[in-house]
Structure formats: structure tokens, C-alpha cells
Amino acid sequence: MKDKVKKGGGRNQTKTDVVPQTSGKRPVVMKQEDDTSFPVKIQGAGVEPFELQVHSFWLVQDAVMALLAREEVCPRSSLSLTFAGMTLDPLAELQSLKGLKPGSILRLAEEPYSPRSARVHLGRVLEMLRASGPQDALREGRSPSILETLTHTQDSGITNGKSLKRSSSNTKTEPTNQDGAPPEYLLPGSLERPLMALLPHSSQPEVPSYLRDLSLSCWNPPPGHRKLQGDFLYITVVTLEGRRYDITSCPRGFFLNRSTEDVFDPRPAQSSPVCHSFTDLLCHISPTFKQALTTLKNRSQLPPVEVLSTPYRTLSWLGPSCASRTHKNSFSRLGLDEQAATQGPDWNEELQVARDLPQGSLEERLQRDRALLQVNSAFVWAVAQGAEAVMDGFVEPVNGNPEDPAFLWGGVFMSQGAGSVVLGGERGRRAAQRLELRGVQAYSDLEGALQGLHTLPTATVDYRGVRLSAQGLAPGLEGSEQEQGSSAPSRGLLYGVNAGPQESPHRRQLLQLLAQSAKALSLQRHAIVGPTGHQVPLFTSVDAQGLLGADSRFYLLDLFRSFPADANFCPEVQIEGQKTPEEERNEGCEEEKEKANCVKVEGWPENYHSDSGLPKNFPHGLCRLRPELLQAFIQHKHSQFTQRVRERMEENGGFEECATAGDSRATNAVRAACKDVGSVSDIIFEMRFNPNIFTSGVSFPNCESGSTKLQEQLLREAAAFIVTQQIPAFLENCLQGNEVPMDGASLKQALHQRGINLRYLGHVIKAISQSEHRERLRHIMRLVIGEIVVRSTSRIFNSFLQGVEVSTLSAAVSHFLCCLLVPHFSPTPAGEETKKKSRRRGRGAGASESTPWSTLSGAELWNLVCQDAAETYDITDRLGSGANHLVEQYGLQKLSLLREFCLKTGVQLRLRDYFLDNQSKAPIGPDDVLNIFPVVKHIHMPIVDASKAFRVAHNFLQKGLLEQANEHLKEAAYLFGRVCDDLHPEACHCLSLLAKVAFLQGQAAEARSVQLKAVVISERVLGFDHSNTIQQYALLAVYMYAGGENALAQKCLLRARLLMLTVHGEDHPYTATLDSCLGLVLTGEQTGQFLQNALKLNASFFGPKDLHTALNQHLLSQWMCSKGDYRSAMNHEKEAFVAFTSMFGDDHPQTRCSSEFLRTITQQAVRVERSLRQAGADQTEQMVECLSPATDTILEQLVLITGIRKNTHSDRLQEFKQKLLEQRAAEAAEEANKISNEPATTETEKGANKSSDKETGWEEAGNGGSPAEQSISESQEDQPMEEVPVENSTTAPVNVHVVELAEQSQSEEKTATDIGDSEDSGRPSSEAELKGTVNGEADVKSAGEDTEPPITNEEIIVENEGVEYEVTLNEMQKSGSDEINGGINGTPDITADLSDLKNKEVLADAVISKATIANGIEDRDVTVNGEAEGSVTANGIAEE
């Protein structure tokens, strides 16, 4: 399977070049490719004629690779192409062939085999015989796709555009099974968590058997006299008919020989043909094989996203229910796998060759990105296989160090790394391996000329409690220039503490690259005292080394300290860092303690230590800040810098006067602000960080004392910024519903996006406990507690496995899990164990007594977990005495704990229902532990052009430009398909957003088709139970409901709820979303249960006055109306009305709609009561049916609930509008123009009345009428974002609750409602617009993003609660009010003269730019950190 990806296409490569990735029209970039593509006919080589789409820029060998991937040709190989009787050169371009045109005939020609190509052909045959079956993904530890099984019907399945219409038409004629009730374990309040339902039996048929055995013959290898006659291999085949044949491989192909088990006779058998393809010969000798092969080729083809192997293995913690039955003959005795292991490639050379590919055109960049992804993917697979081989004992160490053995397998160098006492022993060694990977990632992501800095292919792998660091072999290093003479190029160590003073062109080139990389990574150039006492200038950490390899490439090694230290966890080193080296030698310990206790250290906030308990010691000495934290801290500092400049100007005569006077006051303000915020430059805002501050053993020269003190202060401020700013901001986002982590992986991602390391989990708990909203944050508390327990348990599990023999691994793992999950668990006595396990031969009695691991008890394990949690996270009394305490105190599920533990350690359990609350019996036995898989952490290769197109589409989407966003999303989807066959997490997000846009444009069928693909990708790439998969299922349900597939929509929502219950439990905000959707989609009696449960959850997480709760009250009122319970319906609608009034006010359309609906309910209740008295109950039931909501109404409510279109409001925006109106009224009064203001007010009132007149409540059909909730928002009519994919797109049901963001006034205000993107929440790609000029770097807008004038008709983005509104404000420059500008977030680009600027924030940045120019640095040169391109500055000193 890896060969298919490695060869550059697989079966999907040709299809992705030809078939659009979506069912919509193709983007602009695809039209370029269409101009160069044309069809040709393929014939010959025993293949049925077929048509192939080729590109004119292809080489002939590219066309051959595309042919070999086709089903019609597979598994044939050693083929060439001929045209007009001439064999084509593999390296010739198709466009250079004379006479080649659309419809031309290319013939396949069979080429003679070589010994190597014959083995390659047998490998392709083996790949076909090992075709993946439904259970193979679980057996191999890969996450399967369940969607096809879930939505399987006779003719429908996961579609790729063409089968969409067929499946849609068929499902409409099928019964929707709307009366089918969901199972009891999915109902609200159920505590049952069945695992068997998570992975239902696949609807795909099992792969047929082809042969009984296929192996190398006992007569292999051929003797010398037969080699001279062309014999390559002797192969033995046992067919399903029970016959045994010996086959010879030769240059012409394969034929039967006369050998038997006892007699060697290599002569060809009688009437045996020589077949070029091995499968042709097998079809000749075995009718059963021929029939099975025909069945395989005639089976229904699955979409490529389900067939192609993923670039990286996504672990599945559940395996087959019966592992023995799923094990198949892999025909490994053919010996091909062993040869692949011994002949490992040069991974470093392959990676660097891929990096050096040209990037001039789009096609070249795509080929480069694809090559990088394939090389890295194959390297990661090799690392996983090598780790298993090393730990299984099949690889001998290549060094003689028993404490740090090193291994070489398949071209991968693996070692554990030596543990250092200074770094923290075993934990420090693991941290160094993890940080090395992060440093390699940082330098690998550098673009442009900085790609001249190379890093080795790197990965870390955790397997059976051991962490191995894996790297490709470094190129050979030669001696330095002084040793080789002046004529030889300089090679070897050029940069580092131990490099010594040297001068060469290569060193100067390397230093220039390092200076530019330091600028990109916000690292400061500094100097340290070297081992010999001389000063060593550095651009990196003290451990980094720069080498010039034998391949003439610059390499960086030892990057584990690339990022600055975390001052919160290095208190001892911090005291040393406040003194010069001479002072450290002269002062005693008493003076150090006195200084630490008495003198206030600069950088820490007041009472910081007493409030947070920081700084403190940590188990290891490698606590570093994350790059995301550095960027957030720089943004924070920049806002402070702008504010300080404005304040200084106000103090010196006024803002506008300083900005326009042209004297030194503006420059002095900038200089003072630079000093106040800690800028490393005194003329521009420039934030740099020294990675060697707070590093033990590093001394700085006396001339660097001022810079060192400034860096210490900055790092303390950055460390305090995590506790005082980032953690509260994260919790506030969770309160607002913008962050909804569901498990440990999503919690980790959300924290890392804000630069919060996981060692701060204890401080997150402390912040939640001190919050007044801790009850609303209980799901975050639950996740944090679970993550702490799992991580502490994993560390204990790693050491636990070190003393376990291989033969007892499954028993030891199951014993450990029982100790973790069952309180007071103790091992079974040896006598009882012998009776129960007597059927297991070879595991004699007394095993539990003789093995140390069997003496571990539940109480002992939990004490170890609590001890590790207290040491690492400063958690002392929150974990209680066992897992039951977590269940009772925090509502944590044992099943969720088990899942998280298995995913982190690679343990795979048998698929069955586990009863973890059973106190009398071990819930997990040795037979339940199926395998332990390597957990590999690797470098992520970027897909540059696709990601750029995706970000541009996101920007268009935020502006409400759906058509442009749709085009760029299709372009991004196409580019993702070209590079990674869509099997990438970012490709999943792109397709999901494309489906949303298509749905908002009224193309529900296309949205359904694209979302089907997104769900499959999420299941296979992220995991079948990943949090993103849950959200993708909910979105798919909406699109299916829009297409009339109510039964499939119910299945998707129930599937999402099942996953949600397994991953987290019922007490979660997203469960309320799923329950609200189920309450709308289901039609049985369970509808009320789901809606009431959703209301309870929303009220507890968001409060009674929140929009979620109010909308839920309305849905429940709507359902009660359909049931005739008008009294309860009125009560719920009253609650909704009160919430809408408090949020929006009395005059808001939403409040008026709720009031109208409440009045309609009251009137209907009176009519029903009256008719009940007059005509009886029959008429009442008929009138109750009339109040059932229409399908379009339900669809719009689903759209709001799932966040496809968010319905929210902004208090800041409302206040801003109110202040703007007040200011305009004041200006009108001053100008004595009151009369001219009256028509505007009248016009506004008319617009509001017009909008109100268009809103209709619940009307009756006939006498009672049929209910229809409709409301028209005038602002909605003008925006493409508000196009509703229902029958009447100009109206929206009242349940939509459209928020009218701006009233009609003299200047038309444009509003755009943001599309809720739950899976992209917190994504930093969309935040660049709001940042302004930061760290001395001018804003550079993406291609396709409009550059708008900053003053006239200025468009200002106001962000609140994750939703951005674009408000066009006319005559903004007339206002100098700070109150108005206070609601504006972000700094516009400076493109106008100073005399034209009135906005103070704009003026501040303009003055900064002017001051920069005044100091001799042109504004165009201020790119990053205020440096000119190509220059190297640090602390104001230029380096030649």
C-alpha cells in the first residue's frame, strides 16, 4: 500500500487530474489544467482497450505510471508505450511527440524482465492478493470509515458526484422509517455505553481467497548453470483446488517447470505457456483463481478516499471482535518484505532532493509538495516498522554503549538518547526528543531563501514504554578548509560553540541564513562566553550546530532549545541570570537568597508568586515557550506600544499636533514607547527573544548585561502572560461557546493554539475553581482532570512495561488497566489463576507470583498517579482515592478514560462491551489486549498553494462574498487532491467549508456530496471517533435533511450522539446541539426528551438569558404546540421572549417575532378551548396538526443550531452604533440642521415598519389556517450570505431569528453574518486581518483580498465572540471621538498622507512609520522586526 503512494499517484492520481473534486464547477486553476489535457486510447498487452486522460506537460513515464495504477492494467508491469510503431522515450514530454493529438492510439508493449523488475511485478501481485477487506483496517490498527456502512442502501453509498443523483432519487422512494425509535442507549439519561455499536459490521463483501499458498520454492535460488540460461526465481504455488505447481521466473515472464518436492527439473512443463503477467499464468492453471480475479475486478468501486492508504496511520483503539478469524495468509514466504527491510533508502537524500525541486510554476510547486509528502510518509512508515523490529529484538545495536544503544534499520537511525541529570533524567530525555522535533518543524517551515537551511528527516516513536528518536542518516562530513587547503571547499562544523574562530565563504553564507532565520523566528542575536573564554556570536540556542555536508548543503542539528525558556519553571537559574559571571562567583548563597526574597524582580506582576505559586521547579529542565505564545505576546506588546505612543503624544501638546508638526516630539514618543514595552530597538517596535536566557551553564559577556536583563524581563512577562491573559481568554472562549473541546486531543489543540503548554493544566484547574462560572465550565474541568490522569498514568505505564517479558505483555497490560479502572483491584491468587487459565499451555502455575508486575494493586497505582500529578501539575487533593472519585466528583466516564489511555499508548483492545463498574470480576482480560502499536510523532509537510487558496477563501467568506469564496474553496480542494489525494486534515476542513458555502448558495445536493467526502476523510485521517468527525456527521445530517433524506439524517445524528457519549458523555454543550437537532428531525415520542435535555444542558452551560437557551425554549414551545399543550408552550415562549428582550431590546425584530408567536399561541389556545367546548376533540386534533412546523422551517432551525449560519449579536456593535447616532445628532444640532435630520429618522422608521409588516406570525389555513412562520430582514436581502436554500429564498421562517444588525440610515450599512465554523474555531489563519502591523512587519494581504482605502468609506472589522461584522461607515473621519474608535479592533494599512488622517490609531502608526524614516531606515525596508531585508541587526548593532 505504501508503494502506491510512494510511486506518486496510486489509483487516484489520474482521477484527481481529470475528475473535479466536487460536483460543482471547477475553479480557475483547473481550467488551466484542462487546457493541457486530452484523451488517448490505450491498447495492447492483453488489456481491454480503454481511454486515458493525459496532460501535455506529462513525461512518457508519468503516463506509464498512470497506466500502471489503472484497474484495467493492474498488476501488470514492465510495460512501455509505443506510438506509430515507435517505442517512446520515458523522459520525453508528450507535447513534444509529433502527431499526438486527442483520440490518438497508444499501444502497450511488454518489456523483458530483469531480476529486480521481476520482484517488483511479484510485489504488485502480492498487493492485489492482500487487497484490504472490511476488517483489515482494524487489524492493522488503522481507523476505519463507517459512513458507507451507516448510509448503505441497495443502490446508494458514498458518492462522488455521478452516483449522487441516483442515490438521492432512490432514497426518496424508499421508506424513511420515521416511526423507528432510536435505541434506548442513545436516549437522554441512559448510562449504557455499548462499544459494539461504534463499529458495525461492514456492508462490503469480504475479499475472496485466491490461493492457498504462494512462496519461494525449496529449489530457490537457481543454480549457476540455470542462471546463465535466464532463471531468476523458482516459485511454489498451491491453488484452491489443492494442486501444487512450481513456476520459473525468466526475462520473458513466467512458466511452469517440471520440478516437484523431491525432484528438481527446471525444464518447462508440457503445453505450458510463457506469460508476461504472473496472474495470467495463475488463471491458466486455476479456474478458481480466474473466477476470484474476475469477481475482484467486477466489484463495485469505492471512492478513492476510501481505497487509498492514508499518508500516516491514524490509530484505532478498538480492534476486530475476533482477531484470529481476521488474520489472513499474507504470502510473506515469498521473501519480498525481508528484502525491502534490508535495502533501506537514503531518507535524507530523498528528502533534500524533494526540497530542492523547482518552484517556479504552480505545477512544479504541486509536484514538489507531493514529493515531500510522499517521502515523509514513507519515512514515518519505516520509523514505525523499525521501532517494532528494534523492540522485538530483531536489530542489533551498532554501538557498544549499553546505556544508550543505537540502531540502524531500513536506512533509519534510532536511539533513545542519553539521559542527563541537568535536564531531568528520563523525563528530560523525552522532553529533549519532543522539543527537537518542534525545532526541526520550525526551521522546516521557513520559506524562500531560508530553505537553504536543511534539517534531517526526524520523528519520535513511543513503543512499549520506550521513546526512540529516529532520523535519516546525515551526509558525510569532511575536514575544515584549513585542513584541506585553500583550494578545497570548507566542510564540517561551521557554526556552534565548539566551531572555533574560522572564516570562509561558506561560513559567511551560513551566518547570513541563520540571521534571516532568527528574524523570522523572533530570536535575538547575542553572544556568550565560549569554553575557551572567547565570545561566540549566536543566532540560535547554545546547543545548535551548523554543518556543511558532503552534499554541499547546510544542516542544522540539536535544535531542542530553539525556543526561549519558560521563566515560570526555572526559578534557580533565574537567580543566576540576574548577575554577571563575576558576581556569581563572588557572592554567597545567603546573599542570593536575600536578593531573591527582598528585591522585586522586574517582569513579574505584583503579587504574582502569591497568586499563582510561580515560578517553581519542574521535573525536567527543558520547559520552553511555544511559538504560538511568542506570537500572541508580540501582538499584546504591539497594542501596548501603540497605546503608549498615543499617550506620550497627548502629553506633549496633543495627538494631531505632534503627528503633523514634524518635530522631535513624535520621535521621542516612539523612543519612549519602545523603552516602556521592552523593544530591543529604541527607534522601532522590535521584539526578539534570547533562547539561552535561563539556561544553566551559559555565561554572557559583560557588554551584554543590559541586553540580558531586558531579555530576562521579557521572558518573565511572557511567562506571566500565559497565566494572566491566555488561560483566562481560553476559559472565556469556552464560556461563550467558541471553544468546545470534547476530548483530550481537542483540548490539547485548543490550548496549544493559544500557546499554553500542557504543564499549565493545574493552573487551568485553579482558574476554573476561582471563576464565578465554574459550574458552566465543568466540562472543561472534566477534560482537564481526565487529561492529567491519563498523562500521569501513561508515564507510570512506560516504566511499568520495562520489567515485563514479551510472553506476558497482554496479561500485564490488562492487569494494569484493571488496576486503573477498578478501585481496590488486587491480583487473583495463583491457585485460582491456574484453574482459570489451565488451557493456556506454557504459562505454568504461579505466574502471578513470579512476575513483579502482577503484584501491582489498584491503590498502589493510584498513589503513583496522584504523586506524578502533584509533581507535574501541582494537583494534590483533587484526584481522590480512585477512578470512582472522578466519576462521582467530575462526571468523568471510565470509558472515556480508557479510550484516551489507549490512544496515547498505542494499546488496541478487542471490540466488545466492557463493564467497567464490575467490582467482582476483572473487566479486561489478557485476550482483550490485541496489540500495541507504535505512536509516531513526525514533521508535518505544508501544502502551500492549497493552504493559501483556503485562507483567501476564508477571507472572502468573512466578507460575505460567497461566490468568490466558493471559487477559491474549489481551487483549494483541487490542489489538495493533487498533492495528498484529499487525505489530509486541512483538506477535510476545506471540503467541509465548501459544503457550507454550497448549501448557503442553495445547492443542497452539492453540499451533501462534498460533505460525504469530508466525513470519510475525517474518519480515516483524524479518527472514526475524533471530535471533528462528530461535527462533520451533524453537518451531513442537515444536508441530507435538506435533500429529503430524513432517515439518513436521523442515522447521522444518532451516530454523532453515540460518538459523543463515548468520547465525553452527555454533559457537554455540543450534546445540546445534537439533541436539538434530533428533536427537530425525529417524529416519535422521543422528540420531547431530546428537546428537554437540550434545554437543560443549554441553561446550565449558557444561562437562561443566552441565545442558545432562548432558541431552545422556542423549539420546545413549537413542539408542544404541535402536541396541543398550549399552556406549556406559552410558558416556554415567555422565557424565550424575556431572553430576547434582555439581549436585543424591545424594538429588535427577534423580540417582535417572539412576541407575535406568543400572541399566536395564546389566540390558538383560546380557539382550541372554545372549539373543545363546542365541537369536541376531533376538531381540536385537526387544529393541533395545523400548528406543526413546515420542513423549510425545521431546516432553517437546523442551520442555526449547527452553526452553518450563526445567529448572534454584538453588544459592542450595538453600543458603537448608538454612540455613532448620538454623535451624528450632536453634529446636526451644532450645524442647526435639525430639519434635515427628520427625513432620515422618518426613513429609518419606515424601514423598520416595512420590515415589521413583512413579518408574519402563525397564520391559519381556512378558518384555522396552516401555520407559516416567515420574516424578512432587509439587511438579509442584500447579502449573499443570507440566501436561504429553501423554496422561497427571499423569506426566512420566524424560527430563524434573523438578527438585524444595523438600521437603515442616511448611509447604507452593509452587514454580513459570519458562517459558524465549529471545526475551524480558533483557527489562526483568519485572524491575520485583525492584527495590524505587528513586530515591525507591515500587513501583506493575501492574493484575492481587496485592499480598501483606510478613510473614505472605511470598512472596519469589529470582532466579538468569534463573529466578525463588516460595517461600512461613511464620514468616519469627521469623528475624533475616542469612544467611537474604542470599539474598533485592528489597525488599518497606512496608505494616505498624515494630513488626511483623523483616526488616532492610524495616526499613531503613521507617526511610528515617520519616526522610522526619520532615523534613516526606509519604510519599505521595515519588513520583519523592523529590519531591512538582507541586513542583520541586534541591539542596534549592524553586522557585516
Side-chain angles (χ1 to χ4, degrees), residues 1353-1372:
N1353 197 20
E1354 180 184 0
E1355 185 179 80
I1356 297 172
I1357 299 177
V1358 183
E1359 181 181 4
N1360 186 36
E1361 301 178 355
V1363 181
E1364 297 178 356
Y1365 302 94
E1366 298 179 15
V1367 185
T1368 303
L1369 303 176
N1370 290 328
E1371 299 178 346
M1372 184 63 198

Side-chain angles (χ1 to χ4, degrees), residues 197-245:
L198 281 180
L199 298 173
H201 185 71
S202 175
S203 59
Q204 289 294 319
E206 291 291 337
V207 177
S209 299
Y210 300 94
L211 300 169
R212 286 190 180 178
D213 193 21
L214 175 64
S215 62
L216 290 176
S217 172
C218 60
W219 305 113
N220 195 71
H225 70 283
R226 292 304 302 178
K227 284 185 179 179
L228 298 179
Q229 299 182 35
D231 290 0
F232 295 152
L233 293 170
Y234 296 138
I235 305 167
T236 299
V237 173
V238 180
T239 65
L240 292 177
E241 292 86 356
R243 298 179 181 178
R244 180 183 179 277
Y245 298 93

Side-chain angles (χ1 to χ4, degrees), residues 1160 1162-1172 1183 1260 1263-1264:
T1160 303
T1162 306
Q1163 295 174 357
Q1164 190 71 2
V1166 173
R1167 293 192 187 97
V1168 169
E1169 184 67 23
R1170 186 182 305 161
S1171 59
L1172 180 63
M1183 296 187 66
E1260 304 171 6
N1263 294 333

